[in-house]
Amino acid sequence: FMKKVEVGDFSVRIEVKSRDELGQLARGFNKMVKKLAQMMEEIYFSRLRETENTLRQKEMEIKVLQSQMNPHFLCNSLETIRGMALYKGNEDIAAMAVALGRLLRYNLKNQEHIVNLREEVKFCQVYLQIQQFRFDNQFEYSIDIPEWANSLQFVKFSLQPLVENCFVHGFGSTAVP
């Protein structure tokens, strides 16, 4: 039985019939083998979880790299569209490509979740500029914020959904991209 345990077979148990010292020894051996089996199982599952966590971490790293490549491709594509539009004398298309690129870069470059109101409003204005292209200047807007409020901290991209909601209710289903 000891040789089997020695090579990793923890399913063995000694049949105990006596109550003397040999019986106690056999029962102690059985308890020890049972405990070893439990410990080996715990180690196995612990290493399995550790390996799964490592794999998840590697998958996340790959996703982060992929998410960085796609936006840079989009930024470069928008820059190409802008250049082509300027070459053909279409200032509106060039300006819209620049605005879209600015929004995309704002999202990429600033990984902080908190920004000041001045920066958040600046990118709401870029969003409004894009909407003016979409709706052929069918609306006007003005932004009036006291200077003291510009340094207040805001969650990044928290104002844009509010402004977008105005378009959804003001222009109906045509406002939804």
Side-chain angles (χ1 to χ4, degrees):
F1 288 110
M2 289 176 79
K3 291 276 186 205
K4 286 183 178 183
V5 170
E6 191 176 308
V7 295
D9 183 358
F10 298 109
S11 64
V12 297
R13 297 294 183 271
I14 299 173
E15 187 178 328
V16 182
K17 293 182 181 177
S18 67
R19 297 200 177 269
D20 60 4
E21 290 86 13
L22 286 177
Q24 285 179 325
L25 186 61
R27 280 189 289 283
F29 177 81
N30 286 342
K31 284 181 185 177
M32 179 189 69
V33 171
K34 182 179 177 182
K35 187 73 171 170
L36 277 173
Q38 289 171 342
M39 290 173 65
M40 292 300 287
E41 190 173 320
E42 286 176 22
I43 290 170
Y44 170 77
F45 284 115
S46 174
R47 286 198 178 153
L48 185 63
R49 280 190 299 272
E50 192 176 297
T51 302
E52 286 173 348
N53 287 339
T54 302
L55 283 173
R56 271 192 227 108
Q57 182 179 355
K58 294 295 179 190
E59 285 174 5
M60 289 301 294
E61 289 172 10
I62 289 170
K63 285 180 182 179
V64 165
L65 286 174
Q66 288 173 337
S67 72
Q68 288 174 354
M69 288 190 297
N70 292 339
H72 291 298
F73 170 76
L74 290 174
C75 287
N76 292 338
S77 297
L78 286 169
E79 197 58 38
T80 301
I81 291 169
R82 181 187 150 298
M84 291 169 67
L86 287 174
Y87 179 75
K88 293 185 179 188
N90 196 326
E91 299 289 326
D92 287 347
I93 292 174
M96 189 169 184
V98 166
L100 284 169
R102 286 178 67 197
L103 277 178
L104 187 58
R105 282 185 181 88
Y106 174 61
N107 193 24
L108 290 175
K109 91 173 167 96
N110 189 350
Q111 296 300 319
E112 298 295 319
H113 297 292
I114 304 294
V115 296
N116 64 39
L117 181 60
R118 176 181 286 114
E119 191 169 356
E120 187 68 6
V121 168
K122 180 174 129 183
F123 285 95
C124 275
Q125 289 173 311
V126 172
Y127 174 80
L128 288 165
Q129 180 185 6
I130 292 167
Q131 291 294 46
Q132 282 187 316
F133 285 117
R134 286 187 66 209
F135 292 101
D136 199 28
N137 292 316
Q138 293 179 21
F139 67 91
E140 292 181 14
Y141 69 91
S142 67
I143 298 174
D144 185 22
I145 298 173
E147 188 58 39
W148 63 265
N150 282 320
S151 61
L152 294 175
Q153 299 295 297
F154 262 73
V155 175
K156 186 167 107 176
F157 280 118
S158 61
L159 289 181
Q160 188 267 337
L162 297 173
V163 174
E164 185 175 333
N165 198 34
C166 294
F167 285 95
V168 170
H169 292 287
F171 288 98
S173 62
T174 58
V176 180

